[in-house]
Amino acid sequence: MPKTFFITTAIDYTNSAPHIGHAYEKVLADVIARYHRLKDDNVFFLTGVDQHGQKVQQSAAKTGVPPSEFVKAITQKFAHLWKKLDVQYDEWAETTSDRHKQVVQGILQRLFDAGQIYNDKQAGYYSIRQEQFLTDKERNPDGQFGAEWGQVEFREEENYYFRLSQHKDWLLSYLDKRKDAVIPDFRQTELRNAVEKLSGDLCISRPKSRLDWGIELPFDEEFVTYVWFDALTNYISFAGYDAAHSTLNSQPSVFRDKWPALQIIGKDILVPAHGIYWLIMLHAIGFPDDQMPQLLVHGWWNLSGAKMSKSAGNIVDPSVLIEKYGSEALRYYLMSDIATGQDADFSEERLIERYNADLANSLGNLLNRTLNMAHRYRDGVVTKAGGDSPLARQAADLVREYNGVFGRFEVHAAISRLMEFTTTCNTYIEMSAPWKLAKDPERSDALDHMLFALAEALRVIAVLTSVILPSAARQICYQLNIRDEFRLADADWGGLPDKHHLGKPVPLFPRIETTEL
Ligand code: MSP
């Protein structure tokens, strides 16, 4: 049984509705998952929602509904959006589920029994409005806490702590040994620098008097576990991990066949959550170094250089964009206008510009004129004639480079290469002037040669585009009158049969008129 390629994304907070940043991460993961399916790898793509915590409890209280109902409504919004965006995941994680709760509690109990979790008292200044302890970092230059913290009082609170700092040396040595623990490189450097500065343990609980919307500690019913042991554990609890077994070898095969995962996260949750807490948690519960997940860290979509946030009121709603331009237009923009790992600025004008230039004018036009010519000159039948097409070598280069950049998760670069090839095909039409060939009976073979090569090129484009624009790729296949299920091997030149009958042209990417803005 070949190992499954296991992909996860961060689970999304259900304290508010999805925005463009969430959509980006999900589509990125979906494209990578589809690429691996195309390669014939077994794929397990896990995503879901983070339903517990203080913010959910507060948001639910504000709207006057119980947290369980509040998260149900937001969860639906996320699931609905992924459906509209054609995000094809294999498992859906909801952290309020029993299965998850069982694994979280099993892990906590094991760590408690092993002395990795202990009880301690914390004393300090506490902001009642923000419901958190404050440190000296939060003080103004005059030594006072600012008005944003509301009433601040001195408090003493008992909590449970995880012995995080005990594992600092292990994490440093792991990061030194494994150069691609985090992608891109500069994020691994950022993580390593943060680990160097690590001190102190991790508070993992909240007294129920402060927060009750969470998973109860199995060894103290007065507390729930706070954030990370709950949220991060989803990556294994929904993949079949059994907390009763402390060694990886004794885990059920459903889990061992998948793990370790490629975990796709945004830059804000590398340090400390995934890069420090999660890796140390896994190490502490018995995962060996060669079973640590790889972290692919993507950048953020900003708005005019500024962070999008609910409080700033500059959130871009993906559903509105889908409504206006369609889900493939949004997928295309999100995948083509940002370099994996870097930030980008969201712009609706750019979405339209890219769609019109790449999809309407270039790819859509290539498909349309190829089919039109084939019907006008050859009743829709393309015939093999002459020797190798100049497009054959270009297509082979494209496939090689496409695989190369996908191996580095550079989806934007794969798209650029695809678009270059599309431009090459359009230029090839201009240069060969088929309208002239059609008038010259002596050049009949040259016209056949060209039309066959263009149909074949479009077939290759459909295979490679299918991971980015699954629906458009299916429509290209439909118009070419070929099967719409393929593997990467189908991108090799020469798959179209002689005397193939092409379908009728239907405009695939109608131009977006900018007056719609
Ligand atoms: N619930 C936590 C993650 C727990 S993982 C065990 C969380 N949720 S979140 O809803 O705030 O963010 C979910 C993902 O969306 C994160 O990876 C985050 O980086 C990503 N993004 C949030 N805003 C984003 C942008 N503006 N741009 C790109 N991605 C962004 O963190």
Side-chain angles (χ1 to χ4, degrees), residues 350-395:
R350 282 284 296 162
L351 184 156
I352 296 172
E353 230 172 79
R354 289 215 70 136
Y355 173 95
N356 280 343
D358 296 356
L359 299 182
N361 293 358
S362 191
L363 178 53
N365 190 27
L366 174 66
L367 175 69
N368 211 257
R369 66 206 293 212
T370 300
L371 293 186
N372 269 321
M373 289 188 296
H375 281 280
R376 187 174 325 132
Y377 305 134
R378 294 289 186 264
D379 288 329
V381 178
V382 285
T383 307
K384 262 186 192 164
D388 284 346
S389 164
L391 293 181
R393 195 179 42 82
Q394 306 253 20

Side-chain angles (χ1 to χ4, degrees), residues 28 35 59 66 92 118 161 175 200 210 242 259 352 371 375 378 419-420 439 447 473 492:
L28 175 63
Y35 171 72
S59 306
W92 179 247
Y118 61 93
Y161 292 82
L175 291 174
R210 266 221 274 156
D242 183 347
W259 194 260
I352 296 172
L371 293 186
H375 281 280
R378 294 289 186 264
M419 282 305 140
E420 275 166 36
K439 287 186 192 140
L447 183 60
D492 289 346

Side-chain angles (χ1 to χ4, degrees), residues 35-41 395-396 399 402-403 456 459-460 463-464 466 483 485-496:
Y35 171 72
H36 282 276
R37 290 191 196 108
L38 195 67
K39 271 178 76 182
D40 242 357
D41 292 335
V399 173
Y402 177 94
N403 283 322
E456 176 63 4
R459 193 190 61 78
V460 172
V463 177
L464 301 182
S466 66
R483 262 183 351 118
E485 274 170 28
F486 15 60
R487 303 160 142 191
L488 194 55
D490 295 327
D492 289 346
W493 193 262
L496 202 67

Side-chain angles (χ1 to χ4, degrees), residues 124-298:
Y125 289 95
Y126 182 85
S127 152
I128 296 179
R129 179 192 292 168
Q130 298 299 335
E131 305 208 29
Q132 71 178 77
F133 277 96
L134 304 176
T135 66
D136 285 342
K137 272 191 288 180
E138 275 89 39
R139 288 183 194 274
N140 288 337
D142 64 0
Q144 301 300 309
F145 294 110
E148 70 274 22
W149 300 108
Q151 190 190 341
V152 173
E153 63 177 30
F154 192 80
R155 252 199 206 186
E156 223 181 25
E157 192 173 278
E158 200 180 294
N159 265 310
Y160 286 87
Y161 292 82
F162 170 49
R163 294 193 191 282
L164 194 72
S165 51
Q166 209 180 67
H167 303 283
K168 173 176 171 175
D169 289 342
W170 164 76
L171 185 51
L172 286 172
S173 74
Y174 165 70
L175 291 174
D176 287 342
K177 267 189 307 201
R178 182 163 175 197
K179 297 296 172 209
D180 65 349
V182 181
I183 312 166
D185 291 350
F186 74 94
R187 293 282 176 210
Q188 178 140 345
T189 309
E190 176 189 316
L191 172 61
R192 202 185 179 289
N193 292 340
V195 181
E196 296 260 15
K197 293 194 202 102
L198 178 68
S199 69
D201 288 339
L202 175 68
C203 180
I204 58 143
S205 69
R206 287 289 182 271
K208 275 194 186 162
S209 53
R210 266 221 274 156
L211 171 73
D212 63 5
W213 182 238
I215 299 176
E216 193 176 275
L217 294 185
F219 40 83
D220 192 336
E221 58 178 27
E222 297 294 315
F223 292 84
V224 296
T225 188
Y226 184 63
V227 186
W228 299 116
F229 266 92
D230 180 345
L232 291 164
T233 302
N234 95 86
Y235 299 129
I236 55 176
S237 63
F238 291 95
Y241 182 81
D242 183 347
H245 302 291
S246 57
T247 65
L248 210 61
N249 283 341
S250 51
Q251 283 299 319
S253 59
V254 280
F255 181 71
R256 276 184 297 128
D257 289 345
K258 299 184 190 81
W259 194 260
L262 169 76
Q263 304 204 226
I264 302 178
I265 54 169
K267 63 177 185 178
D268 57 318
I269 53 174
L270 171 67
V271 177
H274 288 75
I276 300 181
Y277 304 161
W278 180 226
L279 296 185
I280 289 183
M281 278 164 63
L282 287 170
H283 173 68
I285 60 172
F287 281 61
D289 290 9
D290 63 357
Q291 293 297 315
M292 286 296 144
Q294 189 175 38
L295 304 175
L296 172 61
V297 184
H298 63 75

Side-chain angles (χ1 to χ4, degrees), residues 10-13 19 21-22 25 50 231 235 266 268-269 298-301:
I11 47 175
D12 300 302
Y13 281 132
H19 61 70
H22 297 128
E25 184 175 282
D50 191 354
Y235 299 129
D268 57 318
I269 53 174
H298 63 75
W300 267 37
W301 284 94

Side-chain angles (χ1 to χ4, degrees), residues 469-509:
L469 304 175
S471 159
R474 275 194 300 274
Q475 289 175 49
I476 297 175
C477 291
Y478 182 72
Q479 296 193 30
L480 291 176
N481 188 25
I482 57 172
R483 262 183 351 118
D484 65 356
E485 274 170 28
F486 15 60
R487 303 160 142 191
L488 194 55
D490 295 327
D492 289 346
W493 193 262
L496 202 67
D498 192 14
K499 306 224 180 310
H500 180 71
H501 208 296
L502 298 172
K504 288 268 187 285
V506 182
L508 183 55
F509 301 109

